[in-house]
Amino acid sequence: MPLKYHIPIKSVPSRFYPVPKNILLESEENCLHCARCVKELCPYDAYGQRYIDPISGFDTINNLCKDCFRCVQGCIQGTISKVPNPEYQDLGDSYWTPQIISTTWYQAETGRIPVSGAGYGGPFRGPGFDAIWTDMSEIVRPTRDGIHGREYISTTISLGRKPLFLSLDEQGQMAMPTFPRLELPLPVLLSQPMLATDKPAVRLAIIKAARVLGTVVLLPRDQLPGNWLDQALYLVPQYPARALDLDDPCLGQVQAVELDDYPEVTTAIERLKGRYPEVIVSIKLAADAGLASRCEVLAGAGAEVLHISADDHAQGQGAAQDQHLKDLIRQVHLHLVETALRDGVTLIASGGVALAEHVAKAIICGVDGVAVDLPLMIALECRLCHRCLQGQSCPVDLEHLDPERGAQRLINLMGAWNNQLLEVLGAMGIREVRRLRGEIGRAMFFEELERETFAPLFALGTGQESTERRDS
Ligand code: SF4
Ligand code: SF4
């Protein structure tokens, strides 16, 4: 049995107080100064540990409070109340919600799976990835199938072209060319977020994390760090269309490169492979209209890795902007299955992969793995305020991040995500993430259920419906 993949978790407190969800309001006006104030009875001693910065006036009470409402309900004069924090509600946007951001902060700090305690309180459906339900029927054996139990669950994937069959000569030796392959112990590649472009410390933290996790970092060629040679095995330099220079020294050192798709990309790959046959080439395609047929052309021409790139909200690009990434992945996967090309090529997807469950759901829809970017920024305490893009100061001073500390937070996040992936695989009775790929038979899609259930009803003309009812 292979050694179990282990992600070393270590708690890393945030450098800045996270934005709390609610804030306490206290009024002195009606206070009777009770001999035993309810504040002394706080089970978390929030008032006792409270610190108010004399210069900035920052009050730690809201970060120490656990929202148990004991003091709020206990004060007979009603001097204490809790209200939603407008700063929290303003975090992120409609997709990168405050809840996703604060959950990511928690996972990056602790490496733990977030647990709500009182169960899931939201609706069991929603847009995008929330419209997918997975079959957890095997969860009935938690003691036997515990994710850290005796049955090993593999999360390894391989990048590269796979032979569809083996050909041996008369001596039993391989009689066919072999393809370079890169094994990753988790189905997640790290991708440098656009927000990190001018932040070398963030880039360094991501590369250090990739090294510990055993995965790779996708980053523009012109953003490679000065000491890239030491890190070459963990770097996948990306080249814009027609920008590949075969004399680039990093081509002989890295295990994989990524080229943006363009009409003559296969010719460029041919030349590249002629000189560096061991380098795996990924082609990055915008998730635009015609994606499935373009993937068919490239896979048919021998592409090794196809990278489907959606926007930050997991929506397609250009003419496909109304389609969600999950649907675009399914189209590509099924089209390659129908054309008997799917097993030869590796598919990865990126854009809007915000939570651990999105990794599992993207794989169920048909990719081998995903590339994540913005969650890495959030794990480093980014608030997605975009002030840096307007030349303003960063509220969490990411320019001066300690790369070691940042790397551990990224490792913690991936540790929490990996454990959630193991939970899903264990609950589905699947022992290998590779077997999750395209397993749509083990998932339900809300839009399809709704269509199957309601479309026949609404398709009936009112006359036909009333006739049938009368007949029955
Ligand atoms: S709400 Fe609960 S945790 Fe928060 S300060 Fe009051 S008693 Fe303490
Ligand atoms: S300025 Fe805002 S968006 Fe930019 S890195 Fe800092 S927190 Fe993130």
Side-chain angles (χ1 to χ4, degrees):
M1 191 167 101
L3 278 180
K4 281 187 182 178
Y5 176 52
H6 172 70
I7 297 180
I9 302 297
K10 198 168 105 197
S11 172
V12 184
S14 51
R15 294 188 301 151
F16 294 81
Y17 284 108
V19 182
K21 188 174 181 182
N22 299 307
I23 44 179
L24 268 171
L25 297 180
E26 299 163 74
S27 148
E28 284 293 309
E29 212 171 292
N30 299 322
C31 180
L32 299 176
H33 299 285
C34 302
R36 188 101 198 261
C37 175
V38 289
K39 294 178 183 176
E40 294 168 23
L41 304 177
C42 169
Y44 302 99
D45 193 26
Y47 292 97
Q49 295 177 44
R50 181 182 202 173
Y51 170 73
I52 302 175
D53 190 291
I55 299 170
S56 67
F58 183 82
D59 186 347
T60 60
I61 188 76
N62 295 310
N63 291 94
L64 295 165
C65 173
K66 303 286 184 209
D67 285 341
C68 77
F69 281 78
R70 181 169 180 177
C71 60
V72 176
Q73 291 176 324
C75 177
I76 54 171
Q77 286 294 97
T79 62
I80 306 172
S81 56
K82 293 219 71 168
V83 294
N85 181 4
E87 195 188 344
Y88 177 86
Q89 292 174 324
D90 277 351
L91 283 174
D93 56 32
S94 59
Y95 186 87
W96 297 91
T97 60
Q99 195 186 359
I100 288 180
I101 294 174
S102 57
T103 299
T104 306
W105 286 341
Y106 172 81
Q107 293 173 92
E109 179 165 338
T110 63
R112 293 197 198 134
I113 297 177
V115 180
S116 68
Y120 173 66
F124 284 94
R125 66 176 177 82
F129 288 120
D130 288 345
I132 305 177
W133 302 323
T134 53
D135 167 9
M136 301 286 198
S137 55
E138 300 291 325
I139 210 166
V140 292
R141 307 180 301 180
T143 46
R144 201 190 105 180
D145 299 340
I147 59 168
H148 302 295
R150 56 188 178 182
E151 287 187 50
Y152 183 56
I153 300 175
S154 167
T155 52
T156 300
I157 60 165
S158 16
L159 300 186
R161 188 144 188 91
K162 285 115 192 160
L164 298 178
F165 54 86
L166 287 181
S167 171
L168 305 176
D169 63 18
E170 286 169 4
Q171 284 76 44
Q173 301 300 313
M174 288 281 268
M176 57 187 293
T178 52
F179 303 107
R181 207 175 50 159
L182 175 56
E183 291 226 327
L184 304 182
L186 79 168
V188 179
L189 295 82
L190 310 185
S191 179
Q192 177 177 283
M194 195 261 291
L195 285 171
T197 302
D198 57 350
K199 300 177 183 67
V202 171
R203 190 177 313 134
L204 215 52
I206 296 174
I207 296 170
K208 281 176 182 286
R211 199 174 183 138
V212 174
L213 294 165
T215 186
V216 290
V217 185
L218 303 166
L219 80 177
R221 168 63 183 95
D222 60 9
Q223 292 267 305
L224 288 192
N227 63 341
W228 63 264
L229 193 54
D230 301 339
Q231 330 277 350
L233 292 181
Y234 306 96
L235 302 175
V236 178
Q238 298 168 306
Y239 296 83
R242 302 180 181 84
L244 181 68
D245 172 7
L246 290 184
D247 292 325
D248 185 338
C250 82
L251 292 175
Q253 305 295 329
V254 295
Q255 300 190 79
V257 299
E258 184 164 271
L259 310 183
D260 280 350
D261 184 32
Y262 64 100
E264 307 84 38
V265 73
T266 48
T267 313
I269 294 173
E270 229 170 82
R271 287 177 31 232
L272 173 64
K273 297 289 279 186
R275 193 145 151 201
Y276 306 97
E278 290 307 311
V279 173
I280 296 167
V281 185
S282 166
I283 306 171
K284 187 174 182 182
L285 303 103
D288 204 338
L291 177 68
S293 26
R294 181 63 181 155
C295 286
E296 179 192 349
V297 170
L298 294 171
E304 298 173 299
V305 182
L306 297 176
H307 174 179
I308 301 167
S309 165
D311 73 10
D312 283 347
H313 289 193
Q315 291 297 127
Q317 309 204 39
Q321 63 185 350
D322 290 336
Q323 296 190 61
H324 190 267
L325 178 61
K326 75 178 196 311
D327 301 312
L328 293 159
I329 293 172
R330 285 184 73 187
Q331 287 165 22
V332 172
H333 173 72
L334 289 175
H335 189 69
L336 293 180
V337 169
E338 282 161 12
T339 49
L341 292 165
R342 179 63 188 95
D343 284 335
V345 69
T346 304
L347 277 186
I348 57 173
S350 68
V353 177
L355 296 166
E357 67 180 69
H358 296 177
V359 179
K361 288 176 175 177
I363 294 173
I364 286 172
C365 288
V367 288
D368 297 276
V370 298
V372 293
D373 45 21
L374 275 184
L376 307 179
M377 283 307 282
I378 301 172
L380 299 174
E381 301 178 50
C382 174
R383 297 174 178 192
L384 300 189
C385 65
H386 295 161
R387 284 172 57 93
C388 51
L389 297 183
Q390 292 146 13
Q392 297 172 338
S393 62
C394 172
V396 289
D397 195 22
L398 276 180
E399 287 85 357
H400 299 108
L401 173 79
D402 170 6
E404 288 292 342
R405 189 185 170 91
Q408 186 59 53
R409 282 183 70 95
L410 299 177
I411 293 164
N412 290 351
L413 178 68
M414 287 301 118
W417 279 27
N418 197 51
N419 280 341
Q420 288 166 84
L421 181 60
L422 292 174
E423 294 267 16
V424 171
L425 291 168
M428 294 179 78
I430 293 176
R431 295 281 165 264
E432 211 185 348
V433 76
R434 284 187 266 221
R435 292 193 50 213
L436 189 65
R437 191 190 81 188
E439 270 281 354
I440 53 169
R442 301 292 305 277
M444 292 188 284
F445 293 79
F446 175 72
E447 296 99 334
E448 288 173 12
L449 292 175
E450 194 177 45
R451 209 165 35 240
E452 284 163 19
T453 308
F454 293 110
L457 297 178
F458 291 112
L460 289 170
T462 46
Q464 187 186 351
E465 187 184 14
S466 53
T467 310
E468 283 181 0
R469 283 202 179 142
R470 266 202 310 277
D471 292 347
S472 60

